[in-house]
Amino acid sequence: MKRIAVLTSGGDCSGMNAVIRGVVRTALANDMEVIGIMKGYAGLIEGLHEPLTTRSVSGILQRGGTFLQSARCPAMLTPEGQQQALSTVRRLKVEGLVIIGGDGSLRGARVLHQLGVQTVGIPASIDNDIPCTDMSLGVDTALNNIRYAVDCLKDTASSHDRTFVVETMGRNCGYLAVAAAISCGAEFALIPEQPYAIDEICRKLNQRFKEGRDNSLILVSEGVASAREIADQLKDCVGFETRIMVLGHYQRGGSPTTFDRLLAARFGVAAVEALIQGGSGVMLALSCTQLVRVDLNKVLDSGLKPIDQSLLDLLSPLGN
Ligand code: ADP
Ligand code: F6P
């Protein structure tokens, strides 16, 4: 294998740069050329690319986001767009492709594999919604961002006897909200995987208030409702002030944590090794501390990733 390419697609996350660095350095060490495709599948379709060298990836390990940039690209959903992407691959004489992104991006990777392109996918999304891997890249950094913000909020909440409703990202996956609730000592986590009863939340909040525990924290995953909607529902049944915070895209940025840097390094090196060994149509996954290759069909056809019940079970005793 003489030339490979790498792209980042979908929602960005911290650690993507570190994976690109791992891919480039490993490929160069194996006497391969590396091309960086800009702006995800949009760049693949339009042929936006640049050669990547050791110098291109120096100083990027600690930076959030992706220097190759990312995009959502509706054209990649069409057969015409997919053929254009294929012709760029052929024109650039790319023999192997590393695709870093979330489940949508991995669907694009599967299409390219089916079209005959040797493709390896890397799960990268703060949502932690990609099946078959314990963790996706960027999740740990996002959780640390949330923890920092919520710790700040708790300081001011306690000074004013306030309840805060904090909205996390995650699409239809509640992992960020649950993991953040446990690590930040929140009383409630509202997640798409589990119904919630506003009356019960009000009852508990009022009870806490009566006991002199006069500030509380509710984390709501964006897939359930907005923080504003939850705060409005609480307004009529609790007798104290509620404030909201929408964490938004802040969660996606920032310097990657050590966990994400290590994961990125492993992903980057393993992706090139997989290509050299002829691997294609696979995603690299973290499984009980080990990196494994999982068939993309298994990843993408296994339905929604279930929330870890053992994590959910921690909420009830800790949130009392
Ligand atoms: P993420 O990769 O973070 O989940 P998206 O779901 O927006 O983000 O997907 C990123 C891009 O992947 C889409 O804009 C599209 O270009 C491509 N993509 C998503 N689904 C498919 C699909 N079924 N077939 C081909 N390409 C897809
Ligand atoms: O998939 C990552 C994610 O950050 C989701 O949590 C969120 O719903 C979505 O992307 C936001 O997308 P955009 O960056 O296009 O606003």
Side-chain angles (χ1 to χ4, degrees), residues 12-16 63-65 126 137-138 141 145 252-256 260:
D12 69 340
C13 67
S14 292
M16 283 180 158
R63 282 173 41 202
I126 65 164
L137 188 72
T141 306
N145 289 343
R252 290 223 306 243
S255 184
D260 274 328

Side-chain angles (χ1 to χ4, degrees), residues 10-13 71-72 102-103 124-129 168-173 176 222-223 248-249 251-252:
D12 69 340
C13 67
R72 315 249 187 219
D103 73 311
S125 163
I126 65 164
D127 300 341
N128 212 23
D129 61 343
T168 66
M169 279 188 167
R171 282 202 174 144
N172 47 18
C173 177
L176 282 180
E222 65 178 357
H249 291 82
Q251 294 160 95
R252 290 223 306 243

Side-chain angles (χ1 to χ4, degrees), residues 2-319:
K2 285 274 163 268
R3 181 181 290 174
I4 65 169
V6 55
L7 65 82
T8 48
S9 164
D12 69 340
C13 67
S14 292
M16 283 180 158
N17 280 325
V19 181
I20 300 166
R21 176 178 180 271
V23 167
V24 171
R25 289 190 165 223
T26 310
L28 295 178
N30 283 281
D31 296 322
M32 292 151 76
E33 290 173 8
V34 191
I35 292 178
I37 306 291
M38 309 301 297
K39 299 183 190 296
Y41 292 121
L44 192 62
I45 289 171
E46 290 166 36
L48 306 175
H49 68 282
E50 60 178 58
L52 298 180
T53 62
T54 313
R55 181 161 284 224
S56 330
V57 294
S58 90
I60 64 166
L61 170 64
Q62 65 276 24
R63 282 173 41 202
T66 159
F67 84 103
L68 291 178
Q69 298 194 286
S70 190
R72 315 249 187 219
C73 171
M76 188 60 192
L77 300 171
T78 67
E80 299 74 35
Q82 293 163 4
Q83 283 302 323
Q84 284 170 306
L86 179 64
S87 33
T88 303
V89 170
R90 299 289 181 239
R91 185 168 54 77
L92 296 177
K93 298 192 171 20
V94 166
E95 295 168 76
L97 187 55
V98 178
I99 292 176
I100 307 165
D103 73 311
S105 305
L106 296 169
R107 286 180 195 283
R110 176 166 65 176
V111 168
L112 289 167
H113 162 72
Q114 287 162 345
L115 291 172
V117 181
Q118 202 185 328
T119 308
V120 171
I122 292 177
S125 163
I126 65 164
D127 300 341
N128 212 23
D129 61 343
I130 301 172
C132 306
T133 184
D134 297 342
M135 287 286 270
S136 295
L137 188 72
V139 176
D140 189 63
T141 306
L143 279 174
N144 277 279
N145 289 343
I146 298 171
R147 179 189 49 72
Y148 179 77
V150 172
D151 284 353
C152 293
L153 276 189
K154 285 188 79 157
D155 290 344
T156 168
S158 65
S159 310
H160 286 271
D161 295 350
R162 278 174 176 157
T163 291
F164 269 87
V165 184
V166 178
E167 181 183 322
T168 66
M169 279 188 167
R171 282 202 174 144
N172 47 18
C173 177
Y175 180 84
L176 282 180
V178 172
I182 293 163
S183 25
C184 300
E187 278 67 41
F188 303 94
L190 312 187
I191 57 168
E193 293 87 343
Q194 221 181 26
Y196 71 96
I198 202 75
D199 295 349
E200 181 56 11
I201 296 172
C202 289
R203 191 191 63 71
K204 282 195 187 155
L205 287 175
N206 284 322
Q207 179 64 30
R208 282 175 56 80
F209 206 67
K210 269 193 219 136
E211 291 166 2
R213 299 151 86 195
D214 33 31
N215 64 82
S216 303
L217 180 60
I218 301 170
L219 290 191
V220 56
S221 178
E222 65 178 357
V224 173
S226 69
R228 178 78 277 150
E229 285 164 338
I230 299 297
D232 285 346
Q233 288 175 35
L234 292 174
K235 204 165 54 194
D236 299 331
C237 62
V238 291
F240 42 85
E241 283 189 307
T242 303
R243 293 284 189 274
I244 66 162
M245 181 168 69
V246 179
L247 291 168
H249 291 82
Y250 154 81
Q251 294 160 95
R252 290 223 306 243
S255 184
T257 56
T258 306
F259 179 92
D260 274 328
R261 293 182 196 199
L262 283 170
L263 190 58
R266 296 174 79 185
F267 277 154
V269 173
V272 177
E273 284 172 354
L275 287 175
I276 290 171
Q277 290 163 13
S280 184
V282 292
M283 180 189 84
L284 301 178
L286 184 67
S287 173
C288 305
T289 78
Q290 298 302 307
L291 274 207
V292 294
R293 295 175 201 167
V294 187
D295 193 298
L296 277 173
N297 291 322
K298 184 168 180 210
V299 176
L300 300 173
D301 297 336
S302 60
L304 291 181
K305 182 180 185 179
I307 196 92
D308 180 346
Q309 187 60 43
S310 66
L311 209 54
L312 267 186
D313 290 344
L314 297 176
L315 271 174
S316 169
L318 296 178

